[in-house]
Amino acid sequence: MGYTKKTLQELDLIDNFLSNAIAANEEINEPFYRLLLSVLLGKKIKKVRVRAQQIVPPITPDLRGIRMDVEITEYDEETVTNVYDLEPHIKDSLHLPRHNRYYQAKIDGRYVKRGLKDFSSIPNLYIITITNYDLFGEDYMVYTIHNKCEEVPELNYDDGLKFIYFNTKGQKGGSQAIKNMLTYFQNSDSKNAVDDATRMMDFYVNKVKNLPEVEDGYMTLGEWMDDMLADMAKEAAVDMAKDMAVNMAEDIAKDMAKDMAEDIAKDMAKDMAEDMVDGLKEKIKENAKKEIEDTMSLKSIILFIETVHEYHGTKESAIVKIQEKFPEYSEQAEELVEKYWKES
Protein backbone atom coordinates (compact mmCIF):
# COMPACT_ATOMS: atom_id res chain seq x y z
CA MET A 1 0.00 0.00 0.00
CA GLY A 2 1.14 3.51 -0.73
CA TYR A 3 0.30 4.74 2.76
CA THR A 4 0.87 1.75 5.03
CA LYS A 5 3.23 -1.17 5.25
CA LYS A 6 0.45 -3.51 6.44
CA THR A 7 -1.50 -5.88 4.22
CA LEU A 8 -5.25 -6.18 4.72
CA GLN A 9 -4.80 -9.42 6.66
CA GLU A 10 -2.31 -7.71 8.97
CA LEU A 11 -4.65 -4.85 9.91
CA ASP A 12 -5.84 -4.59 13.51
CA LEU A 13 -9.09 -3.14 14.84
CA ILE A 14 -7.24 -0.05 16.02
CA ASP A 15 -6.44 0.68 12.35
CA ASN A 16 -9.05 3.04 10.94
CA PHE A 17 -9.64 1.17 7.67
CA LEU A 18 -10.61 -2.12 9.33
CA SER A 19 -12.75 -0.44 11.98
CA ASN A 20 -14.61 1.54 9.32
CA ALA A 21 -14.97 -1.51 7.04
CA ILE A 22 -16.78 -3.34 9.84
CA ALA A 23 -18.92 -0.29 10.64
CA ALA A 24 -19.92 -0.04 6.97
CA ASN A 25 -20.95 -3.72 6.74
CA GLU A 26 -24.69 -3.83 7.37
CA GLU A 27 -24.68 -7.57 8.05
CA ILE A 28 -22.35 -7.58 11.05
CA ASN A 29 -21.86 -3.98 12.21
CA GLU A 30 -24.71 -4.03 14.75
CA PRO A 31 -23.81 -7.30 16.56
CA PHE A 32 -20.09 -6.45 16.36
CA TYR A 33 -20.32 -3.02 17.98
CA ARG A 34 -23.04 -4.10 20.42
CA LEU A 35 -20.66 -6.82 21.65
CA LEU A 36 -17.69 -4.44 21.79
CA LEU A 37 -19.59 -1.82 23.80
CA SER A 38 -21.14 -4.35 26.16
CA VAL A 39 -17.67 -5.64 27.13
CA LEU A 40 -15.92 -2.27 27.35
CA LEU A 41 -18.75 -0.53 29.23
CA GLY A 42 -19.86 -3.55 31.25
CA LYS A 43 -23.54 -3.14 30.50
CA LYS A 44 -26.23 -4.57 28.24
CA ILE A 45 -26.58 -2.71 24.96
CA LYS A 46 -30.02 -2.60 23.34
CA LYS A 47 -30.90 -2.07 19.69
CA VAL A 48 -28.26 0.01 17.89
CA ARG A 49 -27.63 1.66 14.55
CA VAL A 50 -24.03 1.92 13.36
CA ARG A 51 -22.68 4.49 10.91
CA ALA A 52 -19.11 4.98 9.71
CA GLN A 53 -17.32 8.25 8.90
CA GLN A 54 -20.15 10.58 9.88
CA ILE A 55 -19.47 14.19 8.91
CA VAL A 56 -20.80 17.07 11.03
CA PRO A 57 -20.21 20.21 8.92
CA PRO A 58 -19.14 23.56 10.36
CA ILE A 59 -21.68 26.32 10.95
CA THR A 60 -19.71 28.73 8.73
CA PRO A 61 -16.93 28.11 6.18
CA ASP A 62 -14.24 29.60 8.43
CA LEU A 63 -14.95 27.09 11.23
CA ARG A 64 -14.01 23.42 11.49
CA GLY A 65 -16.36 20.48 11.14
CA ILE A 66 -15.75 16.99 12.53
CA ARG A 67 -15.59 13.44 11.17
CA MET A 68 -16.77 10.73 13.56
CA ASP A 69 -14.98 7.45 12.88
CA VAL A 70 -17.81 5.22 14.15
CA GLU A 71 -21.12 6.47 15.54
CA ILE A 72 -23.32 4.00 17.41
CA THR A 73 -26.82 5.13 18.30
CA GLU A 74 -28.73 3.09 20.91
CA TYR A 75 -32.53 3.01 20.95
CA ASP A 76 -35.23 2.20 23.46
CA GLU A 77 -38.13 1.41 21.15
CA GLU A 78 -37.95 4.41 18.79
CA THR A 79 -36.26 6.86 21.13
CA VAL A 80 -32.53 7.56 20.99
CA THR A 81 -31.21 7.02 24.52
CA ASN A 82 -27.44 6.84 24.09
CA VAL A 83 -24.99 8.04 21.47
CA TYR A 84 -21.50 6.52 21.33
CA ASP A 85 -18.69 8.17 19.36
CA LEU A 86 -15.95 5.55 19.01
CA GLU A 87 -12.56 6.92 17.96
CA PRO A 88 -9.42 4.74 17.68
CA HIS A 89 -6.23 6.84 17.87
CA ILE A 90 -2.70 5.61 17.20
CA LYS A 91 -0.99 9.02 17.31
CA ASP A 92 0.03 10.63 20.57
CA SER A 93 0.46 14.25 19.49
CA LEU A 94 -3.20 15.31 19.52
CA HIS A 95 -4.48 17.15 22.58
CA LEU A 96 -7.26 14.60 22.95
CA PRO A 97 -9.12 16.12 25.94
CA ARG A 98 -9.74 19.40 24.10
CA HIS A 99 -10.15 17.59 20.78
CA ASN A 100 -12.91 15.48 22.38
CA ARG A 101 -14.47 18.51 24.03
CA TYR A 102 -14.99 20.01 20.56
CA TYR A 103 -16.38 16.73 19.19
CA GLN A 104 -18.82 16.53 22.10
CA ALA A 105 -20.14 20.02 21.37
CA LYS A 106 -20.67 19.31 17.67
CA ILE A 107 -22.38 15.97 18.34
CA ASP A 108 -24.69 17.34 21.03
CA GLY A 109 -25.69 20.19 18.73
CA ARG A 110 -27.41 17.74 16.38
CA TYR A 111 -29.89 16.70 19.08
CA VAL A 112 -31.01 20.17 20.14
CA LYS A 113 -33.92 21.15 17.93
CA ARG A 114 -35.25 24.66 17.61
CA GLY A 115 -37.82 25.39 20.29
CA LEU A 116 -36.64 22.59 22.61
CA LYS A 117 -37.71 23.35 26.17
CA ASP A 118 -37.12 20.08 28.00
CA PHE A 119 -33.39 19.41 27.73
CA SER A 120 -33.75 16.10 29.57
CA SER A 121 -34.66 14.59 26.20
CA ILE A 122 -31.10 15.02 24.93
CA PRO A 123 -29.59 11.51 24.78
CA ASN A 124 -26.61 10.46 26.87
CA LEU A 125 -23.31 10.90 25.04
CA TYR A 126 -20.23 8.71 25.40
CA ILE A 127 -17.05 9.92 23.72
CA ILE A 128 -15.00 6.70 23.62
CA THR A 129 -11.34 6.91 22.67
CA ILE A 130 -9.18 3.80 22.24
CA THR A 131 -5.43 4.41 22.12
CA ASN A 132 -2.33 2.22 21.95
CA TYR A 133 -0.53 4.52 24.37
CA ASP A 134 -1.22 5.83 27.87
CA LEU A 135 -2.63 9.34 27.55
CA PHE A 136 -2.50 10.05 31.29
CA GLY A 137 0.55 8.01 32.31
CA GLU A 138 -1.09 6.15 35.21
CA ASP A 139 -1.05 2.66 33.59
CA TYR A 140 -4.84 2.21 33.74
CA MET A 141 -6.62 0.34 30.97
CA VAL A 142 -9.64 2.65 31.29
CA TYR A 143 -10.08 6.25 32.42
CA THR A 144 -13.67 7.48 32.89
CA ILE A 145 -14.10 11.27 32.93
CA HIS A 146 -17.31 13.12 33.79
CA ASN A 147 -18.39 16.42 35.30
CA LYS A 148 -18.76 16.73 39.06
CA CYS A 149 -19.15 19.34 41.77
CA GLU A 150 -15.85 20.26 43.41
CA GLU A 151 -17.46 21.46 46.63
CA VAL A 152 -19.67 18.38 47.00
CA PRO A 153 -17.89 15.50 45.23
CA GLU A 154 -20.64 13.00 46.09
CA LEU A 155 -23.28 15.21 44.41
CA ASN A 156 -24.87 13.44 41.45
CA TYR A 157 -24.40 15.88 38.56
CA ASP A 158 -26.31 14.11 35.80
CA ASP A 159 -25.55 15.85 32.50
CA GLY A 160 -25.46 12.55 30.56
CA LEU A 161 -21.89 13.08 29.33
CA LYS A 162 -18.89 10.79 29.75
CA PHE A 163 -15.45 10.75 28.20
CA ILE A 164 -13.95 7.26 28.35
CA TYR A 165 -10.34 6.58 27.37
CA PHE A 166 -9.22 2.98 26.85
CA ASN A 167 -5.49 2.23 26.84
CA THR A 168 -4.74 -1.08 25.09
CA LYS A 169 -1.47 -1.40 27.01
CA GLY A 170 -2.82 -0.53 30.48
CA GLN A 171 -2.45 -2.99 33.35
CA LYS A 172 -4.46 -1.43 36.19
CA GLY A 173 -8.20 -1.18 36.75
CA GLY A 174 -10.86 -2.62 34.50
CA SER A 175 -11.65 -6.33 34.28
CA GLN A 176 -10.15 -9.39 32.64
CA ALA A 177 -12.84 -9.20 29.95
CA ILE A 178 -11.87 -5.60 29.15
CA LYS A 179 -8.18 -6.50 29.13
CA ASN A 180 -8.84 -9.39 26.71
CA MET A 181 -10.87 -7.12 24.44
CA LEU A 182 -8.27 -4.33 24.40
CA THR A 183 -5.46 -6.82 23.69
CA TYR A 184 -7.42 -8.14 20.72
CA PHE A 185 -8.24 -4.60 19.58
CA GLN A 186 -4.52 -3.77 19.59
CA ASN A 187 -3.42 -7.02 17.92
CA SER A 188 -6.35 -8.63 16.09
CA ASP A 189 -4.75 -12.05 15.70
CA SER A 190 -6.70 -15.24 16.35
CA LYS A 191 -4.18 -16.19 19.04
CA ASN A 192 -5.51 -13.26 21.09
CA ALA A 193 -9.11 -14.51 20.90
CA VAL A 194 -9.08 -16.07 24.38
CA ASP A 195 -12.70 -15.86 25.56
CA ASP A 196 -16.19 -16.05 24.06
CA ALA A 197 -16.37 -12.32 23.30
CA THR A 198 -12.98 -12.04 21.58
CA ARG A 199 -13.56 -15.30 19.68
CA MET A 200 -16.79 -13.84 18.30
CA MET A 201 -14.95 -10.61 17.46
CA ASP A 202 -12.29 -12.65 15.66
CA PHE A 203 -15.00 -14.38 13.63
CA TYR A 204 -16.41 -11.01 12.50
CA VAL A 205 -12.96 -9.59 11.74
CA ASN A 206 -11.90 -12.53 9.58
CA LYS A 207 -15.21 -12.47 7.76
CA VAL A 208 -14.78 -8.80 6.82
CA LYS A 209 -11.11 -9.20 5.88
CA ASN A 210 -12.03 -11.91 3.37
CA LEU A 211 -14.80 -9.97 1.64
CA PRO A 212 -13.78 -9.19 -1.99
CA GLU A 213 -15.21 -5.66 -1.78
CA VAL A 214 -13.13 -4.89 1.30
CA GLU A 215 -9.96 -6.20 -0.33
CA ASP A 216 -10.70 -4.20 -3.48
CA GLY A 217 -11.43 -1.12 -1.39
CA TYR A 218 -8.13 -1.44 0.45
CA MET A 219 -6.17 -1.84 -2.78
CA THR A 220 -8.07 1.03 -4.39
CA LEU A 221 -7.39 3.24 -1.38
CA GLY A 222 -3.66 2.67 -1.70
CA GLU A 223 -3.70 3.40 -5.43
CA TRP A 224 -5.93 6.42 -4.95
CA MET A 225 -3.60 7.78 -2.28
CA ASP A 226 -0.60 7.48 -4.62
CA ASP A 227 -2.47 9.10 -7.54
CA MET A 228 -3.85 11.86 -5.33
CA LEU A 229 -0.42 12.66 -3.94
CA ALA A 230 1.04 12.79 -7.44
CA ASP A 231 -1.73 15.12 -8.64
CA MET A 232 -1.40 17.34 -5.59
CA ALA A 233 2.34 17.60 -6.07
CA LYS A 234 1.91 18.44 -9.75
CA GLU A 235 -0.73 21.12 -9.07
CA ALA A 236 1.32 22.61 -6.27
CA ALA A 237 4.40 22.67 -8.46
CA VAL A 238 2.56 24.44 -11.28
CA ASP A 239 1.07 27.05 -8.95
CA MET A 240 4.38 27.61 -7.22
CA ALA A 241 6.23 27.93 -10.52
CA LYS A 242 3.73 30.53 -11.73
CA ASP A 243 4.06 32.60 -8.57
CA MET A 244 7.83 32.40 -8.59
CA ALA A 245 7.99 33.25 -12.29
CA VAL A 246 5.93 36.44 -11.77
CA ASN A 247 8.08 37.54 -8.83
CA MET A 248 11.31 36.72 -10.63
CA ALA A 249 10.21 38.50 -13.79
CA GLU A 250 9.66 41.68 -11.79
CA ASP A 251 13.07 41.35 -10.13
CA ILE A 252 14.77 40.63 -13.45
CA ALA A 253 13.15 43.66 -15.06
CA LYS A 254 14.35 45.91 -12.24
CA ASP A 255 17.88 44.49 -12.36
CA MET A 256 18.05 44.75 -16.14
CA ALA A 257 16.79 48.34 -16.13
CA LYS A 258 19.39 49.30 -13.56
CA ASP A 259 22.20 47.55 -15.41
CA MET A 260 21.15 49.06 -18.74
CA ALA A 261 21.05 52.55 -17.24
CA GLU A 262 24.54 52.15 -15.82
CA ASP A 263 25.82 50.85 -19.16
CA ILE A 264 24.33 53.77 -21.06
CA ALA A 265 25.71 56.25 -18.53
CA LYS A 266 29.16 54.83 -19.20
CA ASP A 267 28.65 55.08 -22.98
CA MET A 268 29.12 51.31 -23.42
CA ALA A 269 28.42 49.87 -26.82
CA LYS A 270 24.96 48.56 -27.57
CA ASP A 271 26.16 45.06 -28.43
CA MET A 272 28.11 44.83 -25.14
CA ALA A 273 25.00 45.84 -23.19
CA GLU A 274 22.95 43.15 -24.96
CA ASP A 275 25.60 40.52 -24.22
CA MET A 276 25.60 41.47 -20.55
CA VAL A 277 21.81 41.30 -20.37
CA ASP A 278 21.79 37.88 -22.06
CA GLY A 279 24.37 36.61 -19.63
CA LEU A 280 22.38 37.97 -16.73
CA LYS A 281 19.25 36.26 -18.01
CA GLU A 282 21.01 32.90 -18.28
CA LYS A 283 22.48 33.18 -14.83
CA ILE A 284 19.13 34.12 -13.30
CA LYS A 285 17.42 31.36 -15.26
CA GLU A 286 19.84 28.73 -13.97
CA ASN A 287 19.55 29.92 -10.37
CA ALA A 288 15.78 30.20 -10.61
CA LYS A 289 15.45 26.73 -12.11
CA LYS A 290 17.37 25.18 -9.26
CA GLU A 291 15.45 27.17 -6.67
CA ILE A 292 12.11 26.15 -8.19
CA GLU A 293 13.09 22.49 -8.38
CA ASP A 294 14.31 22.43 -4.78
CA THR A 295 11.22 24.28 -3.52
CA MET A 296 8.81 22.08 -5.49
CA SER A 297 10.43 18.89 -4.19
CA LEU A 298 10.23 20.10 -0.60
CA LYS A 299 6.62 21.25 -1.06
CA SER A 300 5.71 17.86 -2.56
CA ILE A 301 7.25 16.12 0.43
CA ILE A 302 5.36 18.34 2.88
CA LEU A 303 2.07 17.68 1.06
CA PHE A 304 2.84 13.96 1.07
CA ILE A 305 3.54 13.96 4.82
CA GLU A 306 0.34 15.90 5.61
CA THR A 307 -1.77 13.57 3.44
CA VAL A 308 -0.31 10.40 4.96
CA HIS A 309 -1.17 11.82 8.40
CA GLU A 310 -4.71 12.81 7.34
CA TYR A 311 -5.44 9.27 6.11
CA HIS A 312 -4.12 7.69 9.28
CA GLY A 313 -0.77 6.50 8.01
CA THR A 314 2.23 6.32 10.29
CA LYS A 315 5.45 8.30 10.54
CA GLU A 316 7.36 5.14 9.64
CA SER A 317 5.38 4.59 6.42
CA ALA A 318 5.87 8.27 5.49
CA ILE A 319 9.65 7.95 5.94
CA VAL A 320 9.83 4.80 3.80
CA LYS A 321 7.71 6.36 1.05
CA ILE A 322 9.79 9.55 0.95
CA GLN A 323 12.95 7.47 0.60
CA GLU A 324 11.33 5.65 -2.34
CA LYS A 325 9.83 8.65 -4.15
CA PHE A 326 12.48 11.24 -3.33
CA PRO A 327 15.83 9.39 -3.16
CA GLU A 328 17.75 12.66 -3.08
CA TYR A 329 16.09 13.34 0.29
CA SER A 330 16.64 9.80 1.61
CA GLU A 331 19.01 10.86 4.39
CA GLN A 332 16.72 13.74 5.40
CA ALA A 333 13.46 11.71 5.35
CA GLU A 334 13.22 11.13 9.09
CA GLU A 335 14.10 14.75 9.88
CA LEU A 336 11.49 16.05 7.41
CA VAL A 337 8.72 13.81 8.78
CA GLU A 338 9.46 14.94 12.34
CA LYS A 339 9.42 18.60 11.26
CA TYR A 340 6.24 18.60 9.17
CA TRP A 341 4.12 15.91 10.88
CA LYS A 342 1.41 18.21 12.19
CA GLU A 343 -1.83 17.14 13.80
CA SER A 344 -5.11 18.54 12.45
Side-chain angles (χ1 to χ4, degrees):
M1 295 297 97
Y3 68 101
T4 178
K5 292 187 286 188
K6 289 184 177 181
T7 66
L8 176 60
Q9 295 301 319
E10 292 171 333
L11 288 183
D12 302 306
L13 283 171
I14 203 165
D15 292 305
N16 245 5
F17 181 88
L18 181 57
S19 180
N20 289 330
I22 293 173
N25 188 291
E26 295 182 358
E27 179 182 353
I28 69 171
N29 61 6
E30 291 187 14
F32 177 91
Y33 281 103
R34 187 186 301 117
L35 174 60
L36 177 63
L37 289 177
S38 67
V39 172
L40 293 183
L41 301 181
K43 68 173 186 174
K44 182 179 179 181
I45 303 296
K46 298 180 180 180
K47 178 183 177 182
V48 298
R49 180 178 65 179
V50 179
R51 294 185 293 182
Q53 296 291 318
Q54 289 301 297
I55 303 296
V56 181
I59 300 175
T60 60
D62 59 319
L63 297 179
R64 188 185 190 279
I66 66 171
R67 181 185 63 196
M68 303 166 64
D69 285 342
V70 181
E71 180 188 33
I72 303 110
T73 310
E74 185 178 6
Y75 292 83
D76 186 358
E77 295 182 351
E78 298 301 320
T79 303
V80 177
T81 56
N82 298 298
V83 177
Y84 307 92
D85 173 33
L86 185 64
E87 304 278 339
H89 282 281
I90 57 176
K91 295 180 288 292
D92 60 1
S93 52
L94 284 175
H95 194 297
L96 281 175
R98 290 178 185 262
H99 168 278
N100 289 349
R101 168 185 161 190
Y102 180 66
Y103 267 51
Q104 168 260 314
K106 295 293 291 184
I107 295 168
D108 269 342
R110 298 184 307 161
Y111 293 94
V112 181
K113 305 298 183 182
R114 179 177 296 177
L116 178 69
K117 298 185 182 299
D118 182 7
F119 283 80
S120 66
S121 62
I122 299 176
N124 298 319
L125 175 60
Y126 297 77
I127 305 294
I128 301 173
T129 306
I130 303 179
T131 65
N132 61 352
Y133 58 93
D134 192 344
L135 180 63
F136 304 105
E138 299 293 337
D139 198 29
Y140 279 83
M141 64 181 74
V142 55
Y143 300 89
T144 303
I145 315 294
H146 57 84
N147 291 319
K148 68 175 185 178
C149 176
E150 291 187 5
E151 290 76 16
V152 189
E154 65 274 17
L155 178 70
N156 180 27
Y157 185 79
D158 182 19
D159 61 357
L161 173 65
K162 284 187 178 180
F163 297 94
I164 306 179
Y165 297 86
F166 289 97
N167 167 24
T168 61
K169 298 177 182 177
Q171 299 298 318
K172 295 159 57 176
S175 64
Q176 188 60 47
I178 291 176
K179 185 175 181 60
N180 292 343
M181 185 63 73
L182 292 177
T183 298
Y184 184 79
F185 207 91
Q186 165 72 34
N187 185 358
S188 305
D189 190 291
S190 295
K191 67 182 181 182
N192 291 321
V194 296
D195 57 16
D196 289 343
T198 50
R199 280 190 286 271
M200 182 57 69
M201 297 287 282
D202 191 55
F203 168 77
Y204 290 138
V205 165
N206 287 318
K207 183 173 183 178
V208 168
K209 282 184 176 180
N210 289 294
L211 291 174
E213 60 268 28
V214 174
E215 182 176 359
D216 290 344
Y218 193 57
M219 294 295 294
T220 300
L221 178 61
E223 295 170 358
W224 175 79
M225 282 283 292
D226 286 338
D227 291 343
M228 183 188 68
L229 290 171
D231 290 343
M232 288 173 62
K234 182 178 179 180
E235 291 176 4
V238 171
D239 291 341
M240 188 179 299
K242 287 180 179 178
D243 292 340
M244 292 183 68
V246 170
N247 294 332
M248 289 168 55
E250 293 176 352
D251 292 339
I252 291 172
K254 292 178 182 178
D255 290 341
M256 289 176 61
K258 181 180 178 180
D259 290 343
M260 289 289 287
E262 291 176 353
D263 290 341
I264 293 172
K266 295 176 182 178
D267 294 325
M268 294 182 67
K270 182 179 180 181
D271 55 339
M272 183 180 295
E274 291 175 347
D275 289 341
M276 289 180 66
V277 170
D278 290 339
L280 178 61
K281 284 182 179 179
E282 287 299 318
K283 183 176 180 180
I284 293 175
K285 182 179 179 181
E286 291 175 5
N287 292 339
K289 181 180 179 182
K290 185 178 186 307
E291 183 180 352
I292 290 173
E293 289 175 348
D294 290 344
T295 306
M296 287 192 299
S297 294
L298 182 57
K299 184 64 175 178
S300 298
I301 291 173
I302 295 172
L303 287 170
F304 174 79
I305 292 170
E306 292 175 347
T307 307
V308 169
H309 167 268
E310 177 66 19
Y311 286 86
H312 306 283
T314 64
K315 289 184 179 180
E316 290 76 14
S317 63
I319 291 170
V320 171
K321 198 65 177 181
I322 288 172
Q323 291 172 336
E324 292 175 354
K325 286 183 170 292
F326 306 94
E328 67 274 20
Y329 286 87
S330 181
E331 295 182 358
Q332 302 169 258
E334 185 172 353
E335 179 183 349
L336 289 169
V337 170
E338 287 296 330
K339 182 175 181 181
Y340 294 106
W341 188 273
K342 296 181 179 179
E343 298 296 342
S344 57

